[in-house]
């Protein structure tokens, strides 16, 4: 039994996205076109592949089995087609990255515009989220994460500054009113603005100086989910609500304009910069290879 490759791909797109509309956004094919592709495939195979409700779409048991076999096969097809891309004068195609919000804000702005100017035939799609995901299962070519969060069997390439610091800051008016901490433990008497990761874990308040590491069980009036709501922490700190911990580069503009004042700077922890990571068990698509070569050529030594 022969099935149309386009219909098979349509089924995979919908199953990965969990719906026809999300699949349409991810693939550029209309939702009605994907629906028709899945309908034709189910009619040809004589079995239901997707359970559809008004709220969600999920593979049936048969659909799950088919998806398991199709994923590696379609990956090989994509790799085979990408070989032809190598004969072009300029790499072309779509590069999809999964990155944390901090990388989208602090790392990519210096890289993306010149990269797209150098490779006008490449379309870059960036998905910013804090959850650590399987980049292939999410339909992405590569991701950006920090070293302690890298999975095994991944190739990692340094991207962005190689050393960063986690800063702590507050509005001068708040510090004039409540006092300036001289030791991390002094934070126990302050209003601390805290972040929670999507996993539910609270962001740690950890400091280090001359080999001494201090962890503080900070408390305060505001907790936000790390990612899309992070700017609310900064806005609250500027308004004098409390003390905020965040990447130094994120807070630097507010230090420069005086809206925020560094707190406990000698205790700020340093950590290694982020990495671009991608699976080492597959051929590297031409757009990703171009991106890797570009970041290596323009590497930030700091």
């Amino acid at each position: 039994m022969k099935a149309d490759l386009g219909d098979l791909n349509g089924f995979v797109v919908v199953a990965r996205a969990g719906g026809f509309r999300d699949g349409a956004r991810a693939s550029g094919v209309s939702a009605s076109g994907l629906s028709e592709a899945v309908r034709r495939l189910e009619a040809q195979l004589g079995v239901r592949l997707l359970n559809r409700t008004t709220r969600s779409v999920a593979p049936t048991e048969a659909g799950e089995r088919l998806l398991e076999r199709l994923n590696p096969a379609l990956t090989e097809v994509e790799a085979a087609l990408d070989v032809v891309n190598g004969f072009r004068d300029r790499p072309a195609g779509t590069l999809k990255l999964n990155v944390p919000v901090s990388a989208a804000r602090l790392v990519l702005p210096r890289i993306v515009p010149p990269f797209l100017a150098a490779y006008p035939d490449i379309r870059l799609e960036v998905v910013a989220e804090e959850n650590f995901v399987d980049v292939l299962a999410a339909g992405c070519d590569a991701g950006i994460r920090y070293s302690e969060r890298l999975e095994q069997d991944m190739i990692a390439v340094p991207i962005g500054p190689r050393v960063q610091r986690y800063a702590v800051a507050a509005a001068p008016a708040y510090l004039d009113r409540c006092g300036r901490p001289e030791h991390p433990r002094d934070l126990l008497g302050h209003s601390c603005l805290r972040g929670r990761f999507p996993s539910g874990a609270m962001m740690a308040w950890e400091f280090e100086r001359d080999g001494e590491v201090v962890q503080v069980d900070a408390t305060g009036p505001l907790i936000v989910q790390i990612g899309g709501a992070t700017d609310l922490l900064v806005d609250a700190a500027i308004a004098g609500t409390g003390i905020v911990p965040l990447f130094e580069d994120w807070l630097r503009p507010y230090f420069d304009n005086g809206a925020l004042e560094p707190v406990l700077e000698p205790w700020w922890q340093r950590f290694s910069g982020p990495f671009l990571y991608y699976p080492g068990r597959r051929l590297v698509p031409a757009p990703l290879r171009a991106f890797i070569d570009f970041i290596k050529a323009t590497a930030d030594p700091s």
Side-chain angles (χ1 to χ4, degrees), residues 24-268:
R25 283 192 288 266
S27 65
V29 179
S30 68
S32 60
L34 291 175
S35 178
E36 183 62 21
V38 173
R39 187 197 64 76
R40 283 195 303 266
L41 184 61
E42 289 179 328
Q44 184 175 14
L45 298 178
V47 63
R48 178 178 290 275
L49 299 174
L50 297 173
N51 286 322
R52 306 159 176 82
T53 70
T54 56
R55 293 186 177 182
S56 66
V57 173
T60 63
E61 183 178 358
E64 288 281 5
R65 294 288 183 87
L66 180 60
L67 191 62
E68 289 174 3
R69 300 297 297 269
L70 283 178
N71 275 328
L74 289 176
T75 296
E76 289 301 316
V77 170
E78 292 170 0
L81 293 174
D82 197 64
V83 170
V84 179
N85 201 14
F87 288 91
R88 296 170 56 94
D89 293 334
R90 297 184 303 191
T94 298
L95 171 61
K96 188 172 182 179
L97 303 178
N98 183 283
V99 309
V101 172
S102 58
R105 182 177 184 124
L106 304 177
V107 176
L108 292 182
R110 301 177 186 178
I111 297 172
V112 168
F115 171 73
L116 293 178
Y119 296 96
D121 294 331
I122 292 178
R123 183 180 69 179
L124 178 63
E125 181 177 350
V126 177
V127 179
E129 60 181 349
E130 296 304 312
N131 287 320
F132 188 70
V133 302
D134 182 328
V135 291
L136 288 182
C140 297
D141 300 291
I144 295 178
R145 287 296 184 270
Y146 289 85
S147 58
E148 68 269 18
R149 300 186 68 185
L150 292 180
E151 291 182 338
Q152 295 181 348
D153 302 325
M154 290 287 178
I155 296 176
V157 179
I159 184 171
R162 298 324 308 142
V163 177
Q164 294 180 285
R165 292 197 301 176
Y166 219 72
V168 182
Y174 171 88
L175 296 173
D176 290 342
R177 185 174 73 251
C178 300
R180 287 167 171 78
E182 297 181 358
H183 189 279
R185 295 190 186 92
D186 293 341
L187 293 172
L188 294 174
H190 282 269
S191 296
C192 296
L193 311 177
R194 297 176 292 164
R196 187 191 301 276
F197 293 104
S199 65
M202 295 295 297
M203 184 174 62
W205 289 57
E206 189 169 280
F207 302 85
E208 184 174 1
R209 183 180 184 182
D210 299 329
E212 180 184 3
V213 177
V214 178
Q215 284 191 331
V216 176
D217 187 13
T219 61
L222 177 64
I223 299 174
V224 307
Q225 181 167 303
I226 296 298
T230 302
D231 277 331
L232 178 57
L233 287 179
V234 179
D235 293 340
I238 292 172
T241 306
I243 299 177
V244 61
L246 204 56
F247 288 93
E248 179 183 5
D249 290 342
W250 198 311
L251 296 176
R252 178 55 57 190
Y254 307 104
F255 294 153
D256 294 341
N257 66 20
L260 291 175
E261 179 180 321
V263 174
L264 296 170
E265 185 169 0
W267 288 89
W268 291 357

